[in-house]
Amino acid sequence: ARRFRVCFIDLFLLPCSSLFFVHCLVDQEWRVALTFKISYYLAVTYFCLGQVAEENKKRGEMVCYYENALEQVKEAWKNATKISSD
């Protein structure tokens, strides 16, 4: 999942041409929103996987999933602060 995420984000973070400055501003905000959503959904996914691991008494996996969920929540929060409130 991490490899796909990095490739997916890199695709949308390519530098913009100066001729399309206004378009780039819109794209930049869209990219920030997209990275927020990716982090948020990954956090939810890791949390759910942690719940399943907990039900199956797999404590090591559970801890790893919860730690990954926490990392993704922190990253999502970081991106959420960049989104304009307009």
Side-chain angles (χ1 to χ4, degrees):
R2 182 176 222 83
R3 184 175 175 190
F4 170 77
R5 184 170 165 259
V6 170
C7 292
F8 191 68
I9 290 173
D10 285 347
L11 177 66
F12 290 105
L13 294 179
L14 296 172
C16 297
S17 169
S18 60
L19 296 174
F20 302 103
F21 182 72
V22 174
H23 182 69
C24 290
L25 291 177
V26 172
D27 280 347
Q28 182 180 9
E29 193 164 319
W30 181 78
R31 281 186 232 131
V32 170
L34 181 66
T35 56
F36 165 77
K37 286 183 178 186
I38 290 170
S39 297
Y40 176 79
Y41 289 123
L42 279 173
V44 171
T45 301
Y46 283 132
F47 179 78
C48 291
L49 289 171
Q51 293 287 310
V52 170
E54 186 174 4
E55 289 174 3
N56 293 329
K57 309 273 191 242
K58 295 181 178 179
R59 303 293 184 215
E61 286 183 24
M62 176 194 71
V63 171
C64 291
Y65 284 131
Y66 286 154
E67 286 176 350
N68 284 333
L70 183 60
E71 286 179 30
Q72 294 302 320
V73 167
K74 288 178 183 178
E75 189 170 331
W77 184 259
K78 192 169 46 174
N79 288 321
T81 59
K82 296 177 186 177
I83 298 173
S84 70
S85 59
D86 294 345

